[in-house]
Coordinates of all heavy atoms in Angstrom, one line a residue:
M1 N 116.6 67.2 136.5 CA 116.0 67.8 135.2 C 114.6 68.4 135.5 O 113.8 67.6 136.0 CB 116.0 66.8 134.1 CG 115.7 67.3 132.8 SD 115.7 66.0 131.5 CE 117.4 65.7 131.5
E2 N 114.4 69.6 135.2 CA 113.1 70.2 135.4 C 112.3 70.1 134.2 O 112.8 70.0 133.0 CB 113.3 71.7 135.5 CG 113.9 72.1 136.8 CD 113.1 71.9 138.0 OE1 111.9 72.2 137.9 OE2 113.6 71.4 139.2
L3 N 111.0 69.8 134.3 CA 110.0 69.9 133.3 C 108.9 70.7 133.5 O 108.3 70.8 134.6 CB 109.4 68.5 133.2 CG 108.5 68.2 131.9 CD1 109.2 68.3 130.7 CD2 107.9 66.8 132.1
Q4 N 108.5 71.7 132.5 CA 107.6 72.7 132.9 C 106.2 72.1 132.9 O 105.9 71.4 132.0 CB 107.7 73.8 131.8 CG 106.7 75.0 132.1 CD 107.1 76.1 131.2 OE1 108.1 76.1 130.3 NE2 106.4 77.3 131.3
R5 N 105.4 72.5 133.9 CA 104.0 72.1 133.8 C 103.2 72.8 132.7 O 103.6 73.9 132.3 CB 103.3 72.4 135.1 CG 103.9 71.7 136.3 CD 103.1 72.2 137.6 NE 103.7 71.5 138.7 CZ 103.1 71.7 140.0 NH1 102.0 72.3 140.1 NH2 103.8 71.0 140.9
G6 N 102.3 72.1 132.2 CA 101.5 72.7 131.2 C 101.0 71.7 130.1 O 101.0 70.5 130.3
I7 N 100.6 72.3 128.9 CA 100.1 71.5 127.8 C 101.3 71.1 126.9 O 101.9 72.0 126.4 CB 99.0 72.3 127.0 CG1 98.0 72.8 128.0 CG2 98.3 71.4 126.0 CD1 97.3 71.9 128.9
Y8 N 101.3 69.8 126.5 CA 102.2 69.4 125.6 C 101.4 68.6 124.4 O 100.4 68.1 124.6 CB 103.2 68.3 126.3 CG 104.1 68.9 127.1 CD1 103.8 69.4 128.4 CD2 105.5 69.0 126.6 CE1 104.7 70.0 129.2 CE2 106.4 69.6 127.5 CZ 106.0 70.1 128.8 OH 106.9 70.7 129.7
Q9 N 102.1 68.6 123.3 CA 101.5 67.9 122.1 C 102.3 66.7 121.8 O 103.6 66.9 121.6 CB 101.3 68.8 120.9 CG 100.6 68.1 119.7 CD 100.4 69.1 118.6 OE1 101.1 70.0 118.4 NE2 99.3 68.8 117.9
H10 N 101.7 65.5 121.6 CA 102.4 64.3 121.3 C 102.9 64.5 119.8 O 102.0 65.1 119.1 CB 101.6 63.1 121.5 CG 102.2 61.8 121.3 ND1 102.1 61.2 120.2 CD2 102.9 61.0 122.2 CE1 102.8 59.9 120.2 NE2 103.4 59.9 121.4
Y11 N 103.8 63.7 119.4 CA 104.2 64.0 118.0 C 103.2 63.4 116.9 O 103.2 63.9 115.8 CB 105.6 63.2 117.7 CG 105.5 61.7 117.8 CD1 105.3 61.0 116.5 CD2 105.7 61.1 118.9 CE1 105.4 59.6 116.6 CE2 105.7 59.7 119.0 CZ 105.5 59.0 117.9 OH 105.5 57.7 117.8
K12 N 102.2 62.6 117.4 CA 101.1 62.1 116.5 C 99.9 63.1 116.6 O 98.9 62.9 115.9 CB 100.7 60.7 116.9 CG 101.9 59.7 116.5 CD 101.4 58.3 116.7 CE 102.4 57.3 116.4 NZ 102.1 55.9 116.6
G13 N 100.0 64.2 117.5 CA 98.9 65.2 117.5 C 98.1 65.3 118.8 O 97.8 66.5 119.0
P14 N 97.8 64.3 119.5 CA 97.0 64.6 120.7 C 97.7 65.4 121.8 O 98.9 65.5 121.8 CB 96.8 63.1 121.4 CG 96.9 62.3 120.1 CD 98.0 62.9 119.3
L15 N 96.9 66.2 122.6 CA 97.3 67.0 123.6 C 97.2 66.4 125.0 O 96.3 65.5 125.3 CB 96.5 68.3 123.6 CG 96.5 69.2 122.4 CD1 95.6 70.3 122.5 CD2 98.0 69.7 122.1
Y16 N 98.2 66.7 125.8 CA 98.3 66.2 127.2 C 98.7 67.3 128.2 O 99.3 68.3 127.8 CB 99.3 65.2 127.3 CG 99.1 63.9 126.5 CD1 99.5 63.9 125.1 CD2 98.4 62.8 127.0 CE1 99.2 62.9 124.3 CE2 98.2 61.7 126.1 CZ 98.5 61.7 124.8 OH 98.2 60.7 124.0
Q17 N 98.2 67.2 129.4 CA 98.6 68.1 130.5 C 99.5 67.5 131.4 O 99.1 66.4 131.9 CB 97.3 68.7 131.2 CG 97.8 69.7 132.2 CD 96.6 70.4 132.8 OE1 95.5 70.2 132.4 NE2 96.8 71.1 134.0
V18 N 100.6 68.1 131.6 CA 101.7 67.6 132.6 C 101.4 68.2 133.9 O 101.2 69.5 134.0 CB 103.1 67.9 132.0 CG1 104.1 67.6 133.1 CG2 103.4 67.0 130.8
F19 N 101.4 67.4 135.0 CA 101.2 67.9 136.3 C 102.4 68.0 137.1 O 102.5 68.9 138.0 CB 100.1 67.0 137.0 CG 98.7 67.2 136.4 CD1 98.3 66.3 135.5 CD2 97.8 68.2 136.7 CE1 97.0 66.4 135.0 CE2 96.7 68.5 136.2 CZ 96.1 67.5 135.3
S20 N 103.2 67.0 137.0 CA 104.3 66.9 137.9 C 105.3 65.9 137.4 O 105.1 65.1 136.6 CB 103.7 66.6 139.3 OG 104.9 66.6 140.2
V21 N 106.6 66.0 138.0 CA 107.6 64.9 137.9 C 107.5 64.2 139.3 O 107.9 64.8 140.2 CB 108.8 65.3 137.4 CG1 109.9 64.2 137.4 CG2 108.8 66.0 136.1
A22 N 107.3 62.9 139.3 CA 107.3 62.1 140.6 C 108.5 61.3 140.5 O 109.3 61.1 139.5 CB 106.0 61.2 140.6
T23 N 108.8 60.7 141.8 CA 110.0 59.8 141.9 C 109.6 58.5 142.3 O 108.7 58.3 143.2 CB 110.9 60.3 143.0 OG1 111.3 61.7 142.6 CG2 112.2 59.5 143.1
H24 N 109.9 57.5 141.6 CA 109.6 56.0 141.9 C 110.1 55.7 143.2 O 111.4 55.9 143.5 CB 110.1 55.2 140.8 CG 109.7 53.8 140.8 ND1 110.1 52.9 141.8 CD2 108.8 53.0 140.0 CE1 109.4 51.6 141.6 NE2 108.6 51.8 140.5
S25 N 109.3 55.2 144.1 CA 109.8 54.8 145.4 C 110.8 53.8 145.6 O 111.6 53.7 146.5 CB 108.6 54.5 146.3 OG 108.0 53.2 145.8
E26 N 110.9 53.0 144.6 CA 111.9 51.8 144.8 C 113.3 52.1 143.9 O 114.3 51.7 144.4 CB 111.4 50.5 144.2 CG 110.1 50.0 145.1 CD 110.5 49.6 146.4 OE1 111.6 49.1 146.7 OE2 109.6 49.8 147.3
T27 N 113.2 52.7 142.8 CA 114.2 52.9 141.9 C 114.7 54.4 141.9 O 115.8 54.6 141.3 CB 113.9 52.4 140.5 OG1 112.9 53.4 140.0 CG2 113.4 51.1 140.5
A28 N 114.0 55.3 142.4 CA 114.2 56.8 142.3 C 114.2 57.3 140.9 O 114.6 58.4 140.6 CB 115.6 57.1 143.0
E29 N 113.6 56.5 139.9 CA 113.5 56.9 138.6 C 112.4 58.1 138.6 O 111.4 58.1 139.3 CB 112.9 55.8 137.7 CG 112.8 56.3 136.2 CD 112.3 55.1 135.3 OE1 111.7 54.1 135.9 OE2 112.5 55.2 134.2
K30 N 112.8 59.1 137.8 CA 111.8 60.2 137.5 C 110.7 59.9 136.6 O 111.0 59.2 135.5 CB 112.6 61.4 137.1 CG 113.6 61.9 138.0 CD 113.0 62.3 139.4 CE 114.1 62.9 140.3 NZ 113.5 63.2 141.7
L31 N 109.5 60.1 136.9 CA 108.4 59.8 136.1 C 107.5 61.0 135.9 O 107.2 61.7 136.9 CB 107.5 58.7 136.8 CG 108.2 57.4 137.1 CD1 107.4 56.6 137.9 CD2 108.5 56.7 135.9
V32 N 107.1 61.3 134.7 CA 106.1 62.4 134.4 C 104.7 61.9 134.6 O 104.3 60.9 134.2 CB 106.3 62.9 132.9 CG1 105.4 63.9 132.7 CG2 107.8 63.2 132.7
V33 N 104.0 62.7 135.3 CA 102.5 62.5 135.6 C 101.8 63.4 134.7 O 101.8 64.6 134.8 CB 102.1 62.7 137.1 CG1 100.7 62.5 137.4 CG2 103.1 61.9 138.0
Y34 N 100.9 62.8 133.9 CA 100.2 63.7 132.8 C 98.8 63.0 132.5 O 98.5 61.8 132.9 CB 101.1 63.7 131.6 CG 101.4 62.5 130.8 CD1 100.7 62.3 129.6 CD2 102.4 61.7 131.2 CE1 101.0 61.2 128.8 CE2 102.8 60.6 130.5 CZ 102.0 60.3 129.3 OH 102.3 59.2 128.5
Q35 N 98.0 63.8 131.9 CA 96.6 63.4 131.6 C 96.3 63.7 130.1 O 96.6 64.7 129.6 CB 95.7 64.3 132.5 CG 94.2 64.0 132.3 CD 93.5 64.7 133.2 OE1 93.7 65.9 133.6 NE2 92.3 64.2 133.8
C36 N 95.5 62.7 129.6 CA 95.1 62.9 128.3 C 94.1 64.1 128.2 O 93.3 64.1 129.1 CB 94.4 61.7 127.7 SG 95.3 60.2 127.6
L37 N 94.0 64.9 127.2 CA 93.1 66.0 127.1 C 92.1 65.7 126.0 O 91.6 66.4 125.2 CB 93.8 67.3 126.8 CG 94.6 67.8 127.9 CD1 95.2 69.1 127.5 CD2 93.9 67.9 129.2
Y38 N 91.7 64.4 125.9 CA 90.8 63.7 125.0 C 90.2 62.5 125.5 O 90.8 61.9 126.6 CB 91.3 63.5 123.7 CG 92.5 62.5 123.7 CD1 92.2 61.1 123.5 CD2 93.8 62.9 123.9 CE1 93.2 60.3 123.6 CE2 94.8 62.0 124.1 CZ 94.6 60.7 123.9 OH 95.5 59.7 123.9
G39 N 89.0 62.0 125.1 CA 88.6 60.6 125.4 C 88.1 60.6 126.9 O 87.4 61.5 127.3
E40 N 88.6 59.7 127.6 CA 88.4 59.4 129.0 C 89.2 60.4 129.9 O 89.0 60.3 131.1 CB 88.5 58.0 129.4 CG 87.5 57.2 128.6 CD 87.6 55.7 129.0 OE1 88.3 55.4 130.0 OE2 87.1 54.8 128.3
Y41 N 90.1 61.1 129.4 CA 91.0 62.0 130.3 C 91.7 61.2 131.2 O 92.0 61.6 132.5 CB 90.1 63.1 130.9 CG 89.6 64.2 129.9 CD1 88.5 63.9 129.1 CD2 90.3 65.3 129.6 CE1 88.1 64.8 128.1 CE2 89.9 66.3 128.6 CZ 88.7 65.9 127.9 OH 88.4 66.8 127.0
S42 N 92.2 60.1 130.8 CA 92.9 59.1 131.8 C 94.3 59.8 132.1 O 94.8 60.6 131.4 CB 93.2 57.8 131.1 OG 93.7 58.0 129.8
M43 N 94.8 59.3 133.3 CA 96.0 59.8 133.9 C 97.0 58.7 133.6 O 96.8 57.5 133.5 CB 96.0 59.9 135.5 CG 94.9 61.0 135.9 SD 95.4 62.7 135.5 CE 96.8 62.7 136.5
W44 N 98.3 59.2 133.2 CA 99.4 58.3 132.9 C 100.7 58.8 133.6 O 100.9 59.9 134.1 CB 99.6 58.4 131.4 CG 98.4 57.9 130.6 CD1 97.3 58.5 130.3 CD2 98.2 56.5 130.1 NE1 96.5 57.7 129.6 CE2 97.0 56.4 129.5 CE3 98.9 55.3 130.3 CZ2 96.4 55.3 128.9 CZ3 98.5 54.2 129.6 CH2 97.2 54.1 129.0
V45 N 101.6 57.8 133.7 CA 103.1 58.2 134.0 C 103.9 57.5 133.0 O 103.6 56.5 132.3 CB 103.4 57.7 135.4 CG1 102.6 58.3 136.5 CG2 103.4 56.1 135.5
R46 N 105.1 58.2 132.8 CA 106.1 57.7 131.8 C 107.4 58.2 132.3 O 107.5 59.3 132.8 CB 105.7 58.4 130.4 CG 106.7 58.1 129.3 CD 106.4 58.9 128.0 NE 105.1 58.6 127.4 CZ 105.0 57.8 126.4 NH1 106.1 57.2 125.8 NH2 103.9 57.6 125.9
P47 N 108.4 57.4 132.0 CA 109.7 57.8 132.5 C 110.1 59.3 131.9 O 109.9 59.4 130.7 CB 110.8 56.7 131.9 CG 109.8 55.5 131.9 CD 108.5 56.0 131.5
L48 N 110.7 60.1 132.7 CA 111.1 61.4 132.2 C 112.0 61.4 131.0 O 111.8 62.0 130.0 CB 111.7 62.2 133.3 CG 112.3 63.6 133.0 CD1 111.2 64.5 132.5 CD2 112.9 64.2 134.1
S49 N 112.9 60.4 131.0 CA 113.9 60.3 129.9 C 113.1 59.9 128.6 O 113.4 60.4 127.6 CB 114.9 59.2 130.2 OG 114.2 57.9 130.4
M50 N 112.0 59.2 128.7 CA 111.3 58.8 127.6 C 110.4 59.9 127.0 O 110.3 60.2 125.9 CB 110.4 57.6 127.7 CG 109.6 57.1 126.6 SD 108.6 55.7 127.0 CE 109.8 54.4 127.0
F51 N 109.9 60.7 128.0 CA 109.0 61.9 127.7 C 109.9 62.9 126.9 O 109.3 63.5 126.0 CB 108.5 62.5 129.0 CG 107.3 63.4 128.8 CD1 106.0 63.1 128.8 CD2 107.5 64.8 128.6 CE1 105.0 63.9 128.6 CE2 106.6 65.7 128.4 CZ 105.2 65.3 128.5
L52 N 111.0 63.0 127.3 CA 111.9 64.1 126.7 C 112.6 63.7 125.4 O 113.4 64.5 124.8 CB 113.0 64.6 127.7 CG 112.4 65.3 128.9 CD1 113.5 65.6 129.9 CD2 111.6 66.6 128.5
E53 N 112.6 62.4 125.1 CA 113.4 61.9 123.9 C 112.8 62.4 122.5 O 111.7 62.8 122.5 CB 113.5 60.3 123.9 CG 112.3 59.6 123.6 CD 112.5 58.1 123.7 OE1 113.5 57.6 124.2 OE2 111.5 57.5 123.6
T54 N 113.6 62.2 121.5 CA 113.1 62.4 120.2 C 112.7 61.1 119.5 O 113.2 60.0 119.9 CB 114.2 63.1 119.3 OG1 115.3 62.3 119.4 CG2 114.5 64.5 120.0
V55 N 111.9 61.2 118.6 CA 111.5 60.0 117.8 C 111.6 60.4 116.3 O 111.5 61.5 115.9 CB 110.1 59.6 118.1 CG1 109.9 59.1 119.6 CG2 109.0 60.7 117.8
E56 N 111.8 59.3 115.6 CA 111.8 59.5 114.1 C 110.3 59.2 113.5 O 109.8 58.1 113.9 CB 112.8 58.6 113.4 CG 112.9 58.9 111.9 CD 113.9 58.2 111.1 OE1 114.9 57.8 111.8 OE2 113.8 57.8 110.0
Y57 N 109.7 60.2 112.8 CA 108.3 60.0 112.4 C 108.2 60.6 111.0 O 108.5 61.7 110.8 CB 107.4 60.7 113.4 CG 106.0 60.5 113.0 CD1 105.3 59.3 113.2 CD2 105.1 61.6 112.6 CE1 103.9 59.2 113.0 CE2 103.7 61.3 112.4 CZ 103.2 60.2 112.4 OH 101.8 60.1 112.3
N58 N 107.9 59.7 110.0 CA 107.7 60.2 108.6 C 109.0 60.8 108.1 O 108.9 61.9 107.4 CB 106.5 61.2 108.4 CG 105.2 60.4 108.6 OD1 105.0 59.2 108.5 ND2 104.2 61.2 109.0
G59 N 110.1 60.4 108.5 CA 111.4 60.8 108.2 C 111.9 61.9 108.8 O 113.0 62.5 108.5
D60 N 111.2 62.4 109.8 CA 111.7 63.7 110.5 C 111.9 63.2 112.0 O 111.3 62.3 112.5 CB 110.6 64.8 110.6 CG 110.1 65.3 109.4 OD1 111.1 65.6 108.5 OD2 108.9 65.5 109.0
V61 N 112.9 63.9 112.6 CA 113.2 63.7 114.0 C 112.5 64.7 114.9 O 112.7 65.9 114.5 CB 114.7 63.6 114.2 CG1 115.0 63.6 115.7 CG2 115.4 62.6 113.5
L62 N 111.6 64.3 115.7 CA 110.8 65.2 116.4 C 110.9 64.8 117.9 O 111.0 63.7 118.3 CB 109.4 65.0 116.0 CG 108.9 65.2 114.6 CD1 107.5 64.5 114.2 CD2 109.2 66.6 114.1
P63 N 110.5 65.9 118.7 CA 110.4 65.5 120.2 C 109.1 64.7 120.4 O 108.1 64.9 119.7 CB 110.2 66.9 120.8 CG 109.7 67.8 119.8 CD 110.3 67.3 118.4
R64 N 109.2 63.7 121.3 CA 108.1 62.9 121.6 C 106.9 63.7 122.0 O 105.8 63.5 121.6 CB 108.4 61.8 122.5 CG 107.2 60.9 122.9 CD 107.5 59.8 123.9 NE 108.6 58.9 123.5 CZ 108.4 57.9 122.6 NH1 107.1 57.6 122.3 NH2 109.4 57.0 122.3
F65 N 107.2 64.7 122.9 CA 106.2 65.6 123.4 C 106.7 67.1 123.2 O 107.8 67.3 123.7 CB 105.8 65.4 124.9 CG 105.1 64.1 125.1 CD1 105.7 62.9 125.4 CD2 103.7 64.1 125.0 CE1 105.0 61.7 125.6 CE2 103.1 62.9 125.4 CZ 103.6 61.8 125.6
K66 N 105.9 67.9 122.7 CA 106.4 69.3 122.4 C 105.7 70.3 123.3 O 104.4 70.2 123.4 CB 106.1 69.7 120.9 CG 106.5 71.2 120.6 CD 106.4 71.4 119.1 CE 105.0 71.5 118.8 NZ 104.7 72.0 117.4
F67 N 106.3 71.1 124.1 CA 105.7 72.0 124.9 C 104.7 73.0 124.1 O 105.3 73.6 123.2 CB 106.7 72.8 125.8 CG 106.1 73.7 126.8 CD1 105.4 73.3 127.9 CD2 106.2 75.1 126.5 CE1 104.9 74.3 128.7 CE2 105.6 76.1 127.3 CZ 104.9 75.6 128.5
I68 N 103.6 73.3 124.5 CA 102.7 74.1 123.9 C 102.4 75.5 124.7 O 102.6 76.5 124.2 CB 101.3 73.5 123.6 CG1 101.5 72.3 122.7 CG2 100.3 74.4 122.9 CD1 102.1 72.5 121.3
Q69 N 102.0 75.2 126.0 CA 101.7 76.4 126.8 C 101.8 76.1 128.3 O 101.4 74.9 128.6 CB 100.4 77.2 126.4 CG 99.2 76.3 126.8 CD 97.9 77.0 126.4 OE1 97.8 77.5 125.3 NE2 97.0 77.0 127.4
A70 N 102.0 77.0 129.1 CA 102.0 76.8 130.6 C 100.5 77.0 131.0 O 99.7 77.6 130.4 CB 102.8 77.9 131.3
V71 N 100.2 76.3 132.1 CA 98.8 76.4 132.8 C 99.0 76.5 134.2 O 100.1 76.3 134.9 CB 97.9 75.2 132.5 CG1 97.6 75.1 131.1 CG2 98.6 73.8 133.0

């Protein structure tokens, strides 16, 4: 599954930059490598399946992360 590099918005509002999809060395699970675009600009990883899932928020079903723009 391909994931476009760029800026994504979390369903609660903050922005993140996605750099790559990495592969876990032991399990081969696909992990998204991304960075907060606020605060300490910390780096994170999250399973690709979780990054792409939808969530229910205030009665609406939304993508957890919505693509905003390529970088």
Side-chain angles (χ1 to χ4, degrees):
M1 184 177 299
E2 292 288 322
L3 182 69
Q4 188 169 356
R5 293 181 186 188
I7 307 300
Y8 286 76
Q9 185 173 30
H10 188 266
Y11 71 96
K12 291 184 180 177
L15 297 176
Y16 297 85
Q17 182 172 349
V18 168
F19 290 97
S20 184
V21 175
T23 304
H24 191 290
S25 64
E26 298 294 324
T27 65
E29 180 179 22
K30 298 297 184 185
L31 303 168
V32 179
V33 180
Y34 63 105
Q35 181 178 34
C36 300
L37 296 180
Y38 61 90
E40 295 180 13
Y41 291 80
S42 52
M43 299 291 293
W44 295 86
V45 295
R46 178 187 294 259
L48 177 60
S49 60
M50 183 182 283
F51 193 91
L52 295 174
E53 72 186 358
T54 58
V55 296
E56 188 173 331
Y57 184 68
N58 291 333
D60 296 318
V61 175
L62 306 168
R64 181 179 296 277
F65 290 91
K66 179 176 75 172
F67 181 74
I68 301 295
Q69 72 180 49
V71 292

